Amino acid sequence: MYSRVSRCGWTKIQNRLTLATQHKIHYSSNILKKKESVSRNLQPGKVYHGFLCTEVEPIKEYNMTAYLLTHEKTKTEYLHLERDDSNNVFSVGFRTTPQDSMGTPHILEHTVLCGSEKYPVRDPFFKMLNRSLATFMNALTGPDYTFYPFSSQNEIDYRNLQKVYLDAVFRPNLERLDFLQEGWRLEHSNLEDKSSELVFKGVVYNEMKGAFSETSSLFGQKFINAILPNGTYGYVSGGDPLHIPKLTHDHLRNFHATYYHPSNARIYSYGNFPLEQNLKFVNEAYLNQYKYLDPKNSVVSPQVRWQNMKRANIQCRVDQYGGPIEKQNQIAIGYVMSDITNLYETFMMTALAELMIIGPNSAFYKSLIEKNISGGYNSLTGYDNQIRDTLFVLGLRDVEKSKFEEVEKIANETIEQIFSKGFEKEHIESVLHGFELSIKHQSPKFGLKVLFNLMPLWNHNGPILNALKVNDLLNQLKSNLMEPRYVKEVIEKYFIANHHKLIMTMQPDPKFDDIFNTAEAKVLKEKVSALTEAQKEDIYKEGLELSRAQKKVQNLDVLPCLKIDEITLNKTAPELKHTISGNIPMQLCEANTNGVTYFKGVLGTDCLNDSQRQMLPFFIYIVDKFDTKSYNYRDFDKYVSKSTSGLSFITHITEHIDQPGQYEQGVLINSHCLDENLPKMLDIWMEIFSKPNFNNKERMNMLLTNYCSSLTSGIIDSGHTFAMQAARALVSSVDECKENLLGLRHVMNMQDIQNKYTVEDIQNFMDTIAQNILKGDNLRAAFHYCNTNQGVHEAIDKFCTDLCKDVVYKDEHNRINWTDCKNVPKDNRGVHISMNIPVNFCAKVIPTVPYSDPDYPKLRVLTRFLTSKYLHPIVREQNGAYGGGAMLTMDGLFNFYSYRDPNSRVTMDVFDDTTDWMAKNTGLVDDQNLFEAKLSILQQMDQPIAEFMKGIDLFLYGLSYDIWQTQRERVLAVKKEDLIEVCQKYLPRTKWAGKCVIGDGASQQLRKESEAWEKISGPQQ
């Protein structure tokens, strides 16, 4: 997967993980009990299995010990973080720095996972998904690195995955057919007819065509290429579709030999499994068989700094679902900042960027966002500390071209203002509080988050152990930011006197797709015209050979797989207390929350009419952004930031666990705080429940513009999710509700609302929604807290009593107001959401049975069997989509989907032919394949749960531990004949279904037999 690791910054590295305890203790400020060091014999200066231990450091912030080792023979670096955490992580990564845009690192990432010396099967990576209880498995390519991480709580499973991963990266087969499948190839449009036209195919080729059609991805890629033009950042490591066809198989193999050498590798492990076993295996099986190879070719040199700022302009496609074309412009103003290895400067700039950009008290928010000359910040905005030369970017989307000059002028004036006035003390304190709270906050995937944040720094030989000592950095930051002179020096150095500055603009071009298609056709014509007759014959034969290889039954016995007796159930029923406080039903859970208290609540919205309900997502977006009873919106934001993690509001629509005719609609609210700030956090929620003041017309108009502008962002990246949602809406009234509030229908509804209503109308809607739902007798609540928080019950009771002081008490306290589902016409319908993108997203949805039905676990196992044995091999491997599979929703909607798919009709036929395929391939439903399908479901069900999430499934969905355990037992009890039976019973092509295609699928006939299809076009088409 090509992925810029998100701009998560330093705060993400401070997420915490907890370990459940089996007995009552009073938890100290440390999150985890100190355990006897399992690696206590490792000492600096000593050699262990070929590795020299160079440093051993206790990391008190996270109650762990860091071991840094270097392999004597190859100089491979190894970092182990020992912590009493059962969710163990392993990763091997490489610095991959191409000097072209052929996508070599990205295609190599795919191809090494297509079979290796010990595991010569096609796509062992994907097949291990069904043979493992991994809590995470992936491979990621960034601008200058590629790494392969996984995590597991089961040590046998961990060792199995370790063997497969290491053999894949160090001894891949890199077969030519795999290169053709995963990278690019010329193939006849009709495989059997050598006179048919030749076309480009390939998984990565199609993936990057999709990525380049997404305007945010395109802008981000072009921006980094332009501001860092020298060296690897001047190219596209993921691959430019017009350059990918230049890549040869030989170049790929040579790239692997150089860049995947152990001397260029970084190995990481985390958790409580023994380190020495890792060292022994890595050394004996792989590293000891290599000689040192100087990794100088992969080193990224610092960018030569410019003496004068530069400008650039690019074009993008028209967003057919966006605002008016004349406003679909973007601008980004970027500066090259510190070197990533300058640890403190990078940490400081993360905080500085938040002070400058985030929230109503930040300088750029005041000067640019509140001026309402754009659709808000674009996706480039922020501080990027994931590459060698870090970047600060200020970007706006949906700006009229005539406003570009004004944006530049305001940006420069704002920097001068920060230089002269600095930052308010309260604002600094609120940002620093966010850092401190994030250190205490706990995450079940702490080891992975540390890896993701350390990898870019480690990739450039930065001081990774010092990076873990966040308290040292934070103490220095507190001192420096409170010193006006220091702030002045920083602003002058990195902004006023910094000439390495790029201003890039982007405008939509109605001919953008035609220009790309013409360029692609030219590349194709050049490739084809250069072919000799012998080469054409080879292409024809290779196409047939690849097709045969894709269909060939493989011997998977060489791959390791967990056995049933190696699987243990680690989850236990959480201790929950249910009570009433005031008139509010409460779920309380005492847990090891490390001195943090968590609040969640659900507000019912069944009281809203249809007009009000379609405005609910916008209400959720703005509810905490206005003046309250006691504070103006700026002071309220300071109060929230200094006392809590921030306030969260999410649309909550959930099905009844065992009654398909009902669903709940509401708003999920949540926040968390340090224990000592609980009274303040609850007071903040009292301000919300006292109804915000929506009278500020200018602010309402600005927020409406920003909200509508943001809605189309990310549609292409998550196209399969939107396609499934749209298809579900055709067969389910609860999903019709979701589509109107969360899907593409909501995007179009909000465009209509902008044109239909005045600001005064919008304000009235907001007031009415607030009056209806922000009430104590419309809330049910859940709290998670540590037993060291002595005043928690008193504070909660006061909050609930105050919230309900004017409420007439009721005898009924269930507080789940179920909505009856409407009858949906049982016609086979489809919706084609036309979009000018070069790939499609396809979905088909069939209603089956709810969660509590005995057939549900059988269907759930069937989704994994079909994904592994049918959909992935055909939709992805044979037909070139980036992904394809099946899934089952909690209310029993069976979903087929494809992702970044060059086809539409062909894929829909694959979905329709499921029962026919199953009837012809019942022999595949053997004991091993059945067990693997079950194992992949257990992998989902047995994921580690954070302390602050215990019992939340019961609170939100009515899913108790007993129901969950029954479901798990039923999954394990599924038989071979059950899969065949439920497939024939629920998935025949004649069954009632909804379908959706997002993309330019109209070029292929979609309507089939008695289906009724609707075509939806964006307002800019």
Side-chain angles (χ1 to χ4, degrees):
M1 180 179 74
Y2 182 64
S3 170
R4 289 294 308 280
V5 174
S6 63
R7 283 193 194 130
C8 40
W10 282 91
T11 54
K12 289 287 186 181
I13 208 172
Q14 299 154 356
N15 282 296
R16 305 285 304 213
L17 177 70
T18 191
L19 186 68
T21 53
Q22 301 300 315
H23 56 280
K24 284 270 192 176
I25 60 168
H26 281 278
Y27 307 120
S28 69
S29 59
N30 284 330
I31 176 174
L32 299 172
K33 296 181 295 177
K34 185 62 180 173
K35 170 183 171 179
E36 279 296 308
S37 172
V38 294
S39 303
R40 60 185 180 277
N41 294 324
L42 267 65
Q43 298 174 11
K46 293 192 175 181
V47 177
Y48 304 93
H49 305 287
F51 285 89
L52 174 66
C53 181
T54 57
E55 294 183 68
V56 178
E57 287 276 359
I59 309 297
K60 295 179 181 178
E61 289 89 330
Y62 306 114
N63 201 2
M64 66 185 181
T65 303
Y67 298 86
L68 192 60
L69 306 101
T70 302
H71 191 254
E72 288 194 303
K73 193 172 179 182
T74 61
K75 307 304 179 191
T76 306
E77 291 186 5
Y78 191 120
L79 173 65
H80 176 67
L81 301 179
E82 181 184 282
R83 195 163 184 251
D84 193 8
D85 182 353
S86 62
N87 194 25
N88 286 256
V89 180
F90 186 84
S91 170
V92 56
F94 306 90
R95 189 165 56 219
T96 48
T97 50
Q99 300 301 313
D100 54 61
S101 294
M102 296 188 296
T104 313
H106 187 193
I107 293 170
L108 182 59
E109 173 220 307
H110 280 244
T111 314
V112 299
L113 299 173
C114 286
S116 65
E117 184 179 298
K118 287 185 179 177
Y119 309 107
V121 297
R122 297 187 63 78
D123 205 352
F125 176 82
F126 183 83
K127 291 175 175 62
M128 284 303 294
L129 288 172
N130 299 325
R131 304 168 76 89
S132 162
L133 283 177
T135 54
F136 182 87
M137 283 179 68
N138 213 334
L140 302 101
T141 300
D144 54 14
Y145 56 79
T146 307
F147 67 114
Y148 299 80
F150 70 82
S151 60
S152 180
Q153 301 177 93
N154 183 302
E155 187 168 0
I156 296 173
D157 185 41
Y158 181 89
R159 303 298 172 196
N160 288 346
L161 290 167
Q162 195 175 59
K163 292 172 185 175
V164 174
Y165 264 63
L166 288 170
D167 208 58
V169 297
F170 289 127
R171 293 179 187 156
N173 291 334
L174 299 181
E175 299 285 358
R176 177 167 171 79
L177 290 181
D178 296 326
F179 165 71
L180 296 176
Q181 173 185 285
E182 297 299 318
W184 76 276
R185 66 187 182 276
L186 287 170
E187 188 172 278
H188 289 284
S189 55
N190 181 348
L191 202 59
E192 305 289 339
D193 181 6
K194 65 172 67 177
S195 66
S196 62
E197 65 176 345
L198 289 168
V199 295
F200 283 133
K201 288 189 177 181
V203 172
V204 170
Y205 183 79
N206 286 324
E207 179 190 354
M208 295 311 295
K209 281 179 70 174
F212 269 62
S213 66
E214 212 285 314
T215 53
S216 295
S217 298
L218 178 68
F219 199 19
Q221 184 63 66
K222 295 295 185 183
F223 192 87
I224 192 175
N225 294 158
I227 198 170
L228 300 172
N230 302 327
T232 193
Y233 301 132
Y235 302 101
V236 185
S237 65
D240 182 329
L242 298 179
H243 290 263
I244 288 174
K246 298 176 184 176
L247 179 63
T248 66
H249 182 225
D250 285 342
H251 182 81
L252 185 86
R253 294 182 69 92
N254 291 335
F255 191 93
H256 175 269
T258 301
Y259 290 91
Y260 276 51
H261 191 279
S263 300
N264 192 44
R266 287 151 183 82
I267 301 176
Y268 170 92
S269 58
Y270 163 92
N272 59 9
F273 294 159
L275 167 61
E276 289 196 56
Q277 193 169 336
N278 289 352
L279 300 178
K280 185 174 189 294
F281 175 70
V282 170
N283 176 57
E284 293 179 358
Y286 299 99
L287 302 194
N288 199 39
Q289 299 168 36
Y290 287 82
K291 294 179 180 179
Y292 175 70
L293 178 67
D294 190 343
K296 60 184 179 182
N297 289 337
S298 70
V299 172
V300 179
S301 299
Q303 202 80 187
V304 176
R305 300 306 166 99
W306 297 344
Q307 298 305 307
N308 298 290
M309 65 160 285
K310 297 185 181 182
R311 295 179 180 273
N313 179 68
I314 63 169
Q315 279 71 46
C316 64
R317 68 178 184 86
V318 173
D319 184 350
Q320 296 168 330
Y321 293 83
I325 295 177
E326 62 271 15
K327 287 189 175 181
Q328 288 188 23
N329 309 292
Q330 297 196 42
I331 183 171
I333 304 169
Y335 300 83
V336 175
M337 311 298 277
S338 63
D339 191 295
I340 192 174
T341 61
N342 191 331
L343 191 61
Y344 177 72
E345 293 287 285
T346 307
F347 185 77
M348 178 273 299
M349 278 306 308
T350 304
L352 196 73
E354 186 167 341
L355 285 165
M356 296 172 75
I357 293 170
I358 306 299
N361 290 292
S362 65
F364 283 116
Y365 187 96
K366 291 177 183 178
S367 65
L368 279 173
I369 303 303
E370 291 187 343
K371 198 171 182 63
N372 201 19
I373 57 175
S374 71
Y377 292 133
N378 64 19
S379 62
L380 273 71
T381 302
Y383 180 57
D384 188 346
N385 60 2
Q386 304 291 313
I387 50 180
R388 178 68 190 260
D389 299 280
T390 65
L391 305 176
F392 176 93
V393 183
L394 175 70
L396 297 178
R397 61 174 177 246
D398 290 353
V399 190
E400 293 181 14
K401 286 173 65 177
S402 60
K403 300 288 187 183
F404 283 164
E405 190 174 330
E406 183 181 358
V407 170
E408 289 183 42
K409 182 173 178 288
I410 293 172
N412 290 333
E413 290 173 349
T414 305
I415 289 171
E416 292 288 349
Q417 182 184 12
I418 296 170
F419 176 76
S420 60
K421 296 184 178 179
F423 302 107
E424 295 179 15
K425 181 182 177 183
E426 274 192 297
H427 191 200
I428 294 171
E429 289 172 348
S430 66
V431 170
L432 293 174
H433 169 264
F435 278 74
E436 291 170 339
L437 180 56
S438 67
I439 293 174
K440 305 277 285 183
H441 178 60
Q442 304 170 8
S443 162
K445 295 192 174 180
F446 174 80
L448 282 165
K449 291 186 176 183
V450 172
L451 168 66
F452 277 44
N453 282 277
L454 283 183
M455 192 65 198
L457 176 66
W458 195 8
N459 198 47
H460 300 288
N461 304 317
I464 52 176
L465 297 193
N466 289 339
L468 294 169
K469 299 174 183 177
V470 181
N471 284 343
D472 292 347
L473 295 166
L474 192 54
N475 289 335
Q476 186 179 348
L477 185 65
K478 287 178 184 178
S479 172
N480 286 342
L481 288 183
M482 291 299 181
E483 175 55 56
R485 186 178 65 181
Y486 176 82
V487 173
K488 276 181 179 289
E489 290 172 354
V490 168
I491 297 299
E492 182 173 21
K493 175 182 177 181
Y494 286 114
F495 293 94
I496 296 173
N498 185 356
H499 300 299
H500 200 131
K501 173 182 177 181
L502 173 68
I503 299 176
M504 178 178 277
T505 54
M506 180 170 71
Q507 288 94 44
D509 182 351
K511 296 181 180 179
F512 180 82
D513 298 307
D514 293 335
I515 292 170
F516 174 81
N517 291 336
T518 300
E520 183 184 38
K522 181 183 178 183
V523 173
L524 177 62
K525 184 178 179 181
E526 290 173 352
K527 282 284 181 186
V528 173
S529 62
L531 295 173
T532 64
E533 290 303 314
Q535 288 172 325
K536 290 179 181 178
E537 183 66 21
D538 288 341
I539 287 172
Y540 173 68
K541 290 178 179 178
E542 280 184 334
L544 295 175
E545 187 182 357
L546 177 59
S547 179
R548 287 192 296 269
Q550 290 166 337
K551 296 172 183 176
K552 184 180 178 181
V553 177
Q554 301 174 75
N555 177 20
L556 302 182
D557 292 342
V558 295
L559 287 173
C561 182
L562 278 177
K563 299 179 176 61
I564 189 68
D565 58 358
E566 295 169 345
I567 301 171
T568 56
L569 176 57
N570 296 319
K571 287 186 182 179
T572 56
E575 292 186 18
L576 306 174
K577 179 182 178 183
H578 292 92
T579 184
I580 304 291
S581 183
N583 196 37
I584 299 174
M586 306 282 295
Q587 178 175 295
L588 305 177
C589 182
E590 185 181 292
N592 185 2
T593 59
N594 193 38
V596 179
T597 300
Y598 295 83
F599 162 67
K600 295 177 182 65
V602 174
L603 298 165
T605 58
D606 57 298
C607 53
L608 303 179
N609 62 36
D610 289 343
S611 297
Q612 294 160 357
R613 186 172 294 108
Q614 69 177 355
M615 298 289 289
L616 183 63
F618 178 60
F619 174 84
I620 287 171
Y621 175 73
I622 68 165
V623 64
D624 62 340
K625 295 179 175 66
F626 280 85
D627 296 350
T628 69
K629 180 179 69 174
S630 308
Y631 301 90
N632 65 50
Y633 68 88
R634 294 197 206 280
D635 288 341
F636 185 63
D637 182 74
K638 290 177 190 172
Y639 186 25
V640 170
S641 299
K642 285 177 66 175
S643 309
T644 75
S645 60
L647 309 183
S648 171
F649 302 81
I650 303 170
T651 302
H652 174 72
I653 305 170
T654 185
E655 305 79 8
H656 195 293
I657 197 74
D658 59 1
Q659 198 164 329
Q662 293 184 318
Y663 66 97
E664 181 189 21
Q665 49 182 309
V667 176
L668 171 63
I669 62 176
N670 74 80
S671 63
H672 60 269
C673 66
L674 299 173
D675 286 349
E676 59 266 29
N677 287 332
L678 178 59
K680 291 180 181 178
M681 182 173 77
L682 297 179
D683 180 60
I684 286 167
W685 283 108
M686 285 298 299
E687 291 288 327
I688 294 292
F689 276 90
S690 297
K691 318 294 184 300
N693 181 345
F694 297 117
N695 289 339
N696 188 332
K697 290 184 181 180
E698 288 185 4
R699 186 161 180 77
M700 182 67 75
N701 192 44
M702 179 270 291
L703 289 169
L704 180 63
T705 301
N706 286 4
Y707 177 73
C708 292
S709 179
S710 70
L711 289 176
T712 58
S713 177
I715 288 177
I716 296 175
D717 281 343
S718 304
H720 64 307
T721 303
F722 283 96
M724 285 188 285
Q725 182 58 67
R728 289 196 293 263
L730 300 176
V731 296
S732 161
S733 66
V734 60
D735 281 284
E736 184 180 19
C737 180
K738 289 181 182 179
E739 174 68 6
N740 286 329
L741 297 182
L742 303 170
L744 281 169
R745 290 280 184 186
H746 176 62
V747 177
M748 291 178 279
N749 288 344
M750 288 306 298
Q751 290 168 343
D752 291 340
I753 284 168
Q754 269 190 300
N755 298 325
K756 182 178 179 181
Y757 295 117
T758 65
V759 175
E760 290 82 0
D761 293 332
I762 302 293
Q763 288 173 311
N764 289 333
F765 273 117
M766 298 301 102
D767 283 328
T768 303
I769 294 172
Q771 291 290 336
N772 278 300
I773 71 172
L774 295 176
K775 301 185 294 186
D777 62 350
N778 190 43
L779 171 71
R780 70 178 195 274
F783 285 88
H784 290 77
Y785 51 88
C786 188
N787 63 7
T788 55
N789 190 351
Q790 300 297 326
V792 62
H793 295 290
E794 181 182 347
I796 291 172
D797 285 340
K798 183 179 185 305
F799 169 66
C800 295
T801 302
D802 290 348
L803 206 53
C804 298
K805 63 183 178 183
D806 297 324
V807 169
V808 177
Y809 280 51
K810 304 175 183 177
D811 293 331
E812 177 58 53
H813 293 289
N814 182 38
R815 203 56 55 75
I816 301 179
N817 298 310
W818 297 108
T819 300
D820 291 330
C821 295
K822 297 182 297 184
N823 290 325
V824 179
K826 293 194 174 183
D827 303 320
N828 287 322
R829 294 185 290 159
V831 56
H832 171 218
I833 301 172
S834 179
M835 197 173 285
N836 54 332
I837 53 177
V839 289
N840 301 295
F841 302 92
C842 305
K844 177 182 178 180
V845 173
I846 303 172
T848 60
V849 293
Y851 189 89
S852 58
D853 191 284
D855 278 351
Y856 183 91
K858 301 173 187 176
L859 287 161
R860 197 171 181 181
V861 174
L862 180 64
T863 63
R864 300 309 306 158
F865 176 82
L866 290 176
T867 296
S868 174
K869 302 302 175 185
Y870 178 50
L871 298 170
H872 179 83
I874 295 180
V875 175
R876 185 185 192 277
E877 293 180 354
Q878 295 180 33
N879 294 341
Y882 185 70
M887 58 164 287
L888 190 66
T889 63
M890 189 175 284
D891 58 338
L893 294 179
F894 197 102
N895 294 245
F896 296 92
Y897 66 89
S898 71
Y899 183 75
R900 287 182 175 163
D901 190 346
N903 306 293
S904 53
R905 176 70 273 156
V906 171
T907 298
M908 286 299 186
D909 288 341
V910 173
F911 297 162
D912 290 341
D913 292 342
T914 298
T915 51
D916 293 342
W917 176 86
M918 180 66 109
K920 296 173 184 174
N921 291 275
T922 54
L924 286 176
V925 190
D926 58 24
D927 291 337
Q928 181 61 30
N929 288 334
L930 175 65
F931 175 68
E932 289 179 16
K934 293 179 185 180
L935 198 58
S936 63
I937 297 298
L938 295 185
Q939 185 185 106
Q940 301 167 7
M941 298 188 74
D942 292 355
Q943 286 280 325
I945 297 177
E947 293 287 308
F948 62 88
M949 292 299 291
K950 288 185 173 181
I952 289 302
D953 282 348
L954 175 63
F955 177 71
L956 294 180
Y957 315 114
L959 178 56
S960 68
Y961 177 82
D962 289 343
I963 295 174
W964 174 87
Q965 190 172 34
T966 298
Q967 176 79 193
R968 191 178 187 276
E969 290 167 355
R970 285 177 169 177
V971 165
L972 286 170
V974 172
K975 301 186 178 93
K976 290 180 286 186
E977 53 268 27
D978 291 335
L979 293 195
I980 299 168
E981 178 189 341
V982 294
C983 184
Q984 299 298 331
K985 181 178 179 181
Y986 295 105
L987 305 184
R989 67 174 66 236
T990 55
K991 281 287 186 177
W992 176 39
K995 294 180 177 180
C996 176
V997 171
I998 296 177
D1000 191 23
S1003 59
Q1004 305 174 47
Q1005 177 62 37
L1006 293 177
R1007 186 178 178 278
K1008 192 175 183 182
E1009 296 161 1
S1010 61
E1011 296 173 354
W1013 279 77
E1014 174 191 8
K1015 182 178 179 180
I1016 295 175
S1017 299
Q1020 309 309 331
Q1021 283 178 292

